[in-house]
Amino acid sequence: MTLVYQDSADWLLFDQFSEAGFMHPEHYHDRAELFYPKTGVTLVFSKGVPLIVPPHRALWIPAHTYHSFAFVSGTLQRSLFFPAEASKIVSTEIRVMEVTPLLRELIMGLFDSKFPMPVQKRMSRLILDILHEAPVTPNPLQLPPEGPLRTVAQSVMQDQRWTVPLEAICAEVHMTPKTFERHFLKATGMTFKAWRAAARLCLSLDLLASGIGIKQTALKLGFSGSSAFCTAFTKFFGMTPGTVSKRLGKPE
C-alpha cells in the first residue's frame, strides 16, 4: 500500500511498504529526498556505489541524483521530499546519516495530522537544520560492484545464507575459493567470512526494529546465544543491542 500526501509546498510525504526482494529501478527526483526506513534493511545504489541503510539510519539523496533501491527485507519507508534548494542546505552529495531520537520524532511527526500546519513548517525547517549539522556516517557494509560478487552478497543477505560453505558459493560463480577470496577482499576490504558476519549483524537491526527481543533475534540469526550476539553486535556497532532498541523506540 502506498500513500502520498502533499501537505505543503515545503515538503512531500511518501509512505510505502516494500516486500523483501523488491527492486526499484534507477530513477531521480526533482526534489531532495530524505529516505528513512522505519523497519527493514535497504540497499541503495547510486553512481555505482552501493550503500546499506538499516532502520536506525537515513539516506539523504540530493535532487537530480540517480539512484535505485533493493529491499533486503520487508521495508516500511517514510520519505520526505524537500525543494531542490534543500540540497544546498544539507548536502549536494548522497550520504547516510544517523537518526537520533529527536530526528526520528520530527520525521514521524510530519506524518501525524494532529500537528497544525505552522508547527509542521517549523518541524520541517528543524529537520533540515539537524541534517545540515549531522556528521557523515560511514557505510557499515561495503558491497561489491556490479557482477557475480554482488549477486553473491545480495543473496547472502536476502536468503540469510549464514552457514552455506564457501566452496558451495564459489561453485555458483565458477571460482576457486582462493580466487573468490582475493576478488572479494579487493572489492569490499573484508574477507568473505568477516563480511558475512557483518551482514548478519546489519540484518539484526531489522529484527530489533520490528520489536523482536535480543534473545529471539540471536536465535533467529543462528547465534549460539544472546551473549555471543551481544558481544559481536557491540564490537561491530560500538553500542549494545539494547541501546539500539531504545533508539528505535522498541523495548529491549
Side-chain angles (χ1 to χ4, degrees), residues 11-49:
W11 70 86
L12 295 173
L13 306 181
F14 186 74
D15 175 353
Q16 175 174 280
F17 178 80
S18 298
E19 298 286 349
F22 177 72
M23 304 283 291
H24 195 316
E26 188 174 62
H27 62 288
Y28 74 89
H29 306 287
D30 291 330
R31 288 173 170 255
E33 177 182 2
L34 179 65
F35 172 82
Y36 171 56
K38 186 180 178 184
T39 62
V41 175
T42 307
L43 299 179
V44 182
F45 305 97
S46 178
K47 300 178 182 178
V49 178

Side-chain angles (χ1 to χ4, degrees), residues 110-232:
L110 288 183
F111 286 84
D112 194 332
S113 59
K114 72 179 181 182
F115 293 103
M117 183 62 67
V119 174
Q120 288 191 324
K121 283 182 177 292
R122 291 195 292 271
M123 291 166 66
S124 69
R125 295 189 188 111
L126 182 54
I127 287 174
L128 292 177
D129 287 341
I130 292 174
L131 294 177
H132 173 70
E133 298 294 337
V136 176
T137 301
N139 189 16
L141 193 69
Q142 183 65 47
L143 272 79
E146 291 286 357
L149 294 184
R150 183 190 287 185
T151 300
V152 166
Q154 288 187 232
S155 72
V156 166
M157 297 187 73
Q158 291 174 353
D159 301 328
Q160 299 195 24
R161 306 175 71 189
W162 312 127
T163 59
V164 177
L166 175 61
E167 291 75 14
I169 289 178
C170 291
E172 295 174 6
V173 293
H174 309 291
M175 293 184 188
T176 65
K178 185 176 181 179
T179 299
F180 178 87
E181 285 281 26
R182 184 175 71 253
H183 287 302
F184 200 90
L185 179 61
K186 182 178 179 180
T188 66
M190 304 172 73
T191 65
F192 181 68
K193 180 180 180 181
W195 186 92
R196 185 156 59 172
R200 183 163 62 157
L201 291 170
C202 285
L203 283 187
S204 73
L205 295 169
D206 183 30
L207 299 179
L208 294 173
S210 300
I212 297 176
I214 293 173
K215 183 177 180 180
Q216 291 75 18
T217 295
L219 294 176
K220 278 181 173 291
L221 292 176
F223 285 90
S224 59
S226 56
S227 178
F229 167 61
C230 289
T231 298

